[in-house]
Amino acid sequence: MKVVGTDEFEAWYLSLDENHTRAVNRSVELLRAAGLQLGFPHSSAIKGANVALRELRAHSGSTMLRILYAFDRERDAVLLIGGDKSGDGRFYERMIPLAERIFAEYLHERAEAIRKRREQGLKDDEEDDEHD
């Protein structure tokens, strides 16, 4: 399974310390290996979201890191945004709208890229030399 990260996820990931980075890497590898079958306690659906969001759990010591993600139409996992849920009673209230916006932007950008490739006579999975 392909796992892709958004710019927002990457910015968060790059801000993590070494221990948190290792914890996130372990969780992402579980997702890559299990894909849609990854379930509790590693991943679960997000209730209250307008799209099919899921959360990937990464524990680093006493820190509860969460990565909100969704599957795109190709069933690739799209890592949208991450955060530390520890002691944050409003975590989901803040993060769900943000993740939904990021996912909508991701889907729009993907659709535009596909449209442009088709206009150039390329198939969806072919690379445009201009963007290598």
Side-chain angles (χ1 to χ4, degrees), residues 41-109:
H42 306 290
S43 177
S44 62
I46 299 286
K47 294 180 180 168
N50 295 316
V51 297
L53 289 179
R54 298 192 59 81
E55 74 174 342
L56 188 60
R57 295 178 186 89
H59 293 278
S60 179
S62 63
T63 304
M64 298 186 302
L65 300 173
R66 299 293 191 256
I67 299 115
L68 276 63
Y69 72 100
F71 291 100
D72 65 13
R73 71 181 187 127
E74 290 84 20
R75 295 193 181 222
D76 294 333
V78 182
L79 307 177
L80 302 168
I81 191 73
D84 180 355
K85 182 183 167 200
S86 306
D88 185 350
R90 298 181 62 159
F91 180 81
Y92 296 106
E93 187 179 326
R94 290 183 309 99
M95 298 298 273
I96 289 171
L98 179 59
E100 289 174 334
R101 180 187 56 78
I102 294 167
F103 191 51
E105 289 172 4
Y106 169 84
L107 293 175
H108 176 75
E109 290 170 5

Side-chain angles (χ1 to χ4, degrees), residues 111-122 128 131:
E112 282 297 306
I114 289 169
R115 183 187 61 75
K116 287 180 182 176
R117 283 196 296 272
R118 287 182 180 158
E119 286 176 357
Q120 296 170 350
L122 300 172
D128 179 358
H131 295 93

